């Protein structure tokens, strides 16, 4: 009697097998970066330059428009762009994971998880390059970020009694490392989940792409929550704060950005991220169990 391929054991075996193929997916991910910038003088560092120019330009613009302190707001917006770049990259390229690897899927006997990890690894390499921008900005404004500060006005907590005072850089900055690992773990399941759906329904990437653009503006990337508290307006904008806290992307960004720029992280953000991790992988396992064997026919 033939063994059914639609079992959780087969799905888990695929994930384990894909993880063991580290040499394969890491090599493919690195080759993607090299291929994209082939014959370029600066190579992947063009990613860093473009990210730095964008962060600096928008940081100066929004600090003037919102009346924010540039030495504290520029690190905020730069780290936000870097983290969001990783998230949006995993979402958009994750939907094309299996479609873009059609040739390999049909001719290479490898677990499907390999192609999801290839996408996540490629985005991780780009994230690492962009961290150079963060390092430069922190070195420039280390004097401000290493002490208590506020994002509003002149950056001093005593100026506005309603401003949020952030503790500044400290040992807890290292918590950004496990936070990014947790983000990458979530990128794994979302890549597999969206990849399978997009392979079956080819209009799905266009739909999600438009939603991602909307989520960028709804998530505190270029605007800080501190503005909602400024001037004692918390009561009148309470609905907006609740909306932000219900946004899962806010929590994924916050657990990494906050420690990197010397801000405190709410335990609620960690709880939300851990909860999404468990539910997300359970959902990905269910999808892999039911549709893993069909992907090769859909691509």
């Amino acid at each position: 009697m033939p063994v059914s391929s639609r079992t959780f054991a087969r799905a888990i075996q695929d994930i384990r097998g894909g993880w063991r193929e580290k040499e394969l997916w890491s090599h493919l991910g690195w080759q993607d970066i090299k291929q994209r910038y082939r014959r370029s003088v600066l190579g992947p560092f063009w990613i860093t330059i473009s990210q730095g120019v964008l962060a600096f330009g928008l940081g100066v613009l929004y600090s003037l428009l919102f009346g924010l302190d540039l030495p504290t707001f520029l690190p905020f917006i730069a780290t936000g762009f870097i983290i969001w770049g990783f998230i949006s990259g995993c979402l958009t390229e994750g939907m094309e994971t299996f479609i873009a690897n059609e040739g390999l899927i049909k001719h290479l006997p490898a677990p499907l998880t390999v192609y999801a990890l290839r996408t996540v690894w490629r985005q991780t390499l780009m994230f690492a390059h962009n961290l150079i921008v963060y390092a430069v900005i922190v070195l420039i404004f280390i004097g401000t970020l290493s002490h208590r500060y506020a994002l509003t006005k002149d950056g001093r907590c005593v100026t506005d009694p309603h401003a949020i005072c952030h503790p500044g850089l400290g040992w807890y900055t290292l918590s950004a490392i496990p936070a990014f690992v947790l983000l990458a773990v979530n990128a794994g399941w979302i890549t597999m989940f969206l990849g399978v759906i997009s392979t079956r329904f080819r209009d799905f990437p266009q739909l999600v792409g438009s939603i991602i653009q909307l989520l960028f503006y709804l998530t505190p990337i270029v605007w800080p929550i501190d503005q909602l508290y400024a001037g004692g307006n918390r009561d009148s904008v309470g609905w907006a704060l609740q909306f932000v806290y219900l946004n899962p992307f806010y929590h994924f960004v916050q657990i990494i950005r906050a420690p990197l720029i010397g801000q405190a992280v709410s335990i609620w953000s960690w709880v939300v991220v851990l909860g999404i991790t468990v539910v997300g992988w359970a959902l990905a396992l269910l999808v892999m169990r039911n549709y893993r064997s069909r992907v090769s026919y859909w691509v």
Side-chain angles (χ1 to χ4, degrees), residues 66-92:
F66 297 152
L68 300 172
D69 184 53
L70 183 61
T72 57
F73 180 66
L74 189 56
F76 172 88
I77 194 173
T79 51
F81 270 122
I82 293 171
I83 300 166
W84 182 259
F86 177 85
I87 294 174
S88 63
C90 289
L91 289 173
T92 55

Side-chain angles (χ1 to χ4, degrees), residues 283-295:
L283 189 61
L285 276 174
L286 182 63
V287 170
M288 289 288 285
R289 169 192 178 273
N290 293 332
Y291 306 109
R292 179 182 57 85
S293 60
R294 302 184 187 182
V295 171

